[in-house]
Amino acid sequence: MSLICRAIFIVCFCLLRFSGIASAQSETAAPTFSSSILPTTTARNGAAQTHIITVGKGNNRFVPDITQASVGDIIQFQFFPPNHSVIRAEYGYPCIPYEDTGVDKVGFFSGFKPVDVILSTPPTFELTINDTNPIFYYCAAPGSCINFAMVGVINPNSSVSLATQQALAHKADYMLVPGEHFPAEASSSLASLAAASTSTSPTSSAAATSTSAAPAANATTSHKLSTGAIVGIAIGGAAVLLLAAALFFFIG
């Protein structure tokens, strides 16, 4: 009986010993598993993303024309034929450079990217997002902004609308590139007055020319009168001489 009890005691002790070791191993393994997952997840969520926007890829559009980006993300514009560009704009002024819509405003301009064929690695232009404020932009290729409303936006919010910006682009009278001056207001009253004064200025100069030519004409006329007087005096002198000769002839 004592042998049976002793055997039972040994079996129970071994079972308890084994279960304690297993639980200890499970407790030490759990932190190792979680620590290997969490840093990877955090790094993936915090990494900057690159958002690709095609410019004129078979059309006169930005695709996509609406982009949501986080601070630190990169916007990469990829250019396709024939000669597109990207210029920052202000909301409400879709086809005018951002810096022309206020004092101390700084925009961006990719420059024109002439491409003859569709390339697998097209020319690019990149922006780094520093905040989440809306950023509007447009293409300055001839007719792209006005005729095709080729505009886009990054991080739009409830206070702005891409549809409104596109509608205003269709209604725009002109489009500018950075450094280009605003066009003359040819249809305004000031421009009309300027044109009128320009058209009348030759008449004034002609009148001045006529006035300045008048003394010359008078001088010529007075010169002719002097010559006539001289001729008259000469003829009178000759007549006197003839009369004197006749007088001497008759007296003689």
Side-chain angles (χ1 to χ4, degrees):
M1 184 68 180
S2 59
L3 293 174
I4 296 173
C5 292
R6 187 175 296 177
I8 293 172
F9 175 79
I10 293 172
V11 171
C12 292
F13 178 80
C14 292
L15 291 174
L16 291 174
R17 179 81 175 180
F18 180 78
S19 63
I21 294 173
S23 63
Q25 290 178 348
S26 65
E27 290 176 359
T28 55
T32 304
F33 177 79
S34 60
S35 63
S36 64
I37 294 296
L38 289 177
T40 304
T41 304
T42 303
R44 184 171 62 237
N45 291 339
Q49 298 183 12
T50 298
H51 306 267
I52 296 177
I53 301 176
T54 60
V55 185
K57 189 177 182 180
N59 51 33
N60 286 282
R61 292 185 57 196
F62 294 101
V63 179
D65 52 11
I66 298 178
T67 305
Q68 296 291 345
S70 302
V71 174
D73 284 359
I74 296 174
I75 306 296
Q76 184 184 88
F77 295 93
Q78 297 183 352
F79 296 87
F80 293 85
N83 193 14
H84 291 286
S85 63
V86 177
I87 302 173
R88 185 174 182 179
E90 179 62 276
Y91 183 60
Y93 303 92
C95 303
I96 298 175
Y98 181 79
E99 57 269 26
D100 290 345
T101 61
V103 180
D104 297 330
K105 286 188 174 183
V106 180
F108 55 78
F109 178 35
S110 66
F112 289 98
K113 305 290 184 179
V115 184
D116 294 331
V117 295
I118 296 177
L119 303 174
S120 57
T121 55
T124 61
F125 174 72
E126 293 185 348
L127 296 174
T128 300
I129 302 302
N130 297 321
D131 54 53
T132 56
N133 295 326
I135 300 175
F136 284 89
Y137 53 88
Y138 67 98
C139 174
S144 291
C145 188
I146 297 176
N147 298 334
F148 299 100
M150 190 172 177
V151 300
V153 61
I154 303 169
N155 293 331
N157 54 35
S158 58
S159 63
V160 298
S161 168
L162 178 63
T164 300
Q165 192 83 332
Q166 290 173 332
L168 292 173
H170 279 301
K171 296 178 181 179
D173 294 328
Y174 53 84
M175 176 189 68
L176 302 178
V177 297
E180 185 178 6
H181 297 292
F182 286 94
E185 300 175 352
S187 60
S188 68
S189 58
L190 291 178
S192 301
L193 290 175
S197 83
T198 303
S199 63
T200 55
S201 58
T203 305
S204 300
S205 59
T209 302
S210 300
T211 304
S212 62
N218 293 334
T220 304
T221 305
S222 62
H223 178 69
K224 289 180 179 179
L225 291 176
S226 299
T227 303
I230 293 172
V231 172
I233 293 171
I235 294 174
V240 171
L241 291 176
L242 290 175
L243 181 62
L247 182 61
F248 282 114
F249 177 75
F250 288 116
I251 292 175

